[in-house]
Amino acid sequence: GAVVSQHPSRVICKSGTSVKIECRSLDFQATTMFWYRQFPKKSLMLMATSNEGSKATYEQGVEKDKFLINHASLTLSTLTVTSAHPEDSSFYICSARDPQGLEQYFGPGTRLTVT
Amino acid sequence: GEDVEQSLFLSVREGDSSVINCTYTDSSSTYLYWYKQEPGAGLQLLTYIFSNMDMKQDQRLTVLLNKKDKHLSLRIADTQTGDSAIYFCAEKRGGYGGATNKLIFGTGTLLAVQP
């Protein structure tokens, strides 16, 4: 299947700083990417839909000013957690939808720990 | 409600069959998916079924869909220790390949395979 990468795989940052997570589709162009958050032993919660060249669509309850999403090219979407706090610590997973719109390919996830 | 429900835990012996169940909510969902997540990793798509199908088999995996009851199941034949993971069902909401369609994930089932 298609490959989606995330960088970094793990990051520890201090409270109040900002962290950027990158999501890349390596072998296809993805006009749509998704960002999920997963709490320990919980399901994936969709945070936002990232559309290339336009603003992201955020799910209800997700603060757009806190979780900044940029999808500047067909192979890269970034999620920036601004002014991170310990409660933002989580596993963040991105996915890229294939051009046919049938499947989503998931990245390996980024473990964020805010101290 | 909005939740896609799964039982939390399933334990089987190596060589037995495993059946993981899922109850979804949106009768207009077009596709239903099964994903596998190993510890600390992203999601791996195992299989999917179109909503007008009742059954799909792919090697050791069999998916059954009861659209009337909104019930989906994944059967793994000859379960191996390497199958130990969390399994998520997901429903696609929002229509065929539309810009707004998205995946809603179930609560996840932890499958433990005993040697």
Side-chain angles (χ1 to χ4, degrees):
Chain A
V3 178
V4 175
S5 70
Q6 279 184 244
H7 177 80
S9 57
R10 183 184 293 265
V11 57
I12 301 173
C13 70
K14 292 188 185 300
S15 189
T17 60
S18 295
V19 174
K20 180 185 284 188
I21 303 170
E22 293 184 348
C23 177
R24 293 182 186 274
S25 60
L26 298 184
D27 49 8
F28 68 94
Q29 293 184 327
T31 55
T32 304
M33 291 184 173
F34 302 87
W35 286 98
Y36 296 85
R37 183 173 179 178
Q38 186 179 30
F39 293 97
K41 300 180 182 178
K42 296 290 186 184
S43 187
L44 279 73
M45 181 191 78
L46 179 64
M47 298 174 67
T49 302
S50 170
N51 301 298
E52 188 266 338
S54 65
K55 290 183 180 179
T57 304
Y58 289 82
E59 295 298 303
Q60 193 172 6
V62 178
E63 298 176 59
K64 62 178 69 174
D65 294 330
K66 179 155 185 68
F67 298 100
L68 300 178
I69 291 172
N70 184 282
H71 193 157
S73 80
L74 287 171
T75 58
L76 173 65
S77 175
T78 61
L79 168 69
T80 301
V81 182
T82 62
S83 186
H85 287 94
E87 57 265 31
D88 298 325
S89 299
S90 194
F91 194 52
Y92 292 88
I93 304 176
C94 74
S95 70
R97 189 161 66 196
D98 72 358
Q100 289 72 39
L102 177 59
E103 294 188 26
Q104 284 187 31
Y105 295 95
F106 285 79
T110 296
R111 171 77 58 197
L112 170 63
T113 303
V114 185
T115 60
Chain B
E2 289 286 317
D3 291 343
V4 179
E5 301 283 347
Q6 295 179 239
S7 51
L8 284 178
F9 181 73
L10 175 65
S11 178
V12 300
R13 289 192 179 277
E14 192 173 21
D16 289 349
S17 293
S18 308
V19 179
I20 302 171
N21 295 301
C22 169
T23 303
Y24 62 99
T25 57
D26 189 347
S27 59
S28 65
S29 294
T30 53
Y31 288 89
L32 296 128
Y33 301 80
W34 282 104
Y35 287 88
K36 176 183 180 182
Q37 185 181 34
E38 297 183 6
L43 273 70
Q44 173 193 355
L45 176 65
L46 291 177
T47 187
Y48 60 89
I49 189 168
F50 188 47
S51 59
N52 71 350
M53 299 167 67
D54 298 323
M55 188 269 280
K56 179 180 179 181
Q57 185 165 2
D58 185 1
Q59 299 182 338
R60 292 193 297 125
L61 306 178
T62 303
V63 179
L64 295 178
L65 175 61
N66 182 328
K67 199 173 178 183
K68 174 176 170 290
D69 294 337
K70 300 194 200 64
H71 184 263
L72 181 73
S73 68
L74 174 69
R75 178 177 181 271
I76 306 173
D78 187 25
T79 313
Q80 303 296 308
T81 53
D83 295 324
S84 295
I86 301 176
Y87 290 79
F88 292 96
C89 63
E91 58 173 335
K92 176 184 275 191
R93 295 183 187 171
Y96 296 89
T100 57
N101 70 51
K102 58 188 180 184
L103 291 181
I104 304 299
F105 282 84
T107 46
T109 299
L110 174 62
L111 174 65
V113 183
Q114 312 299 325

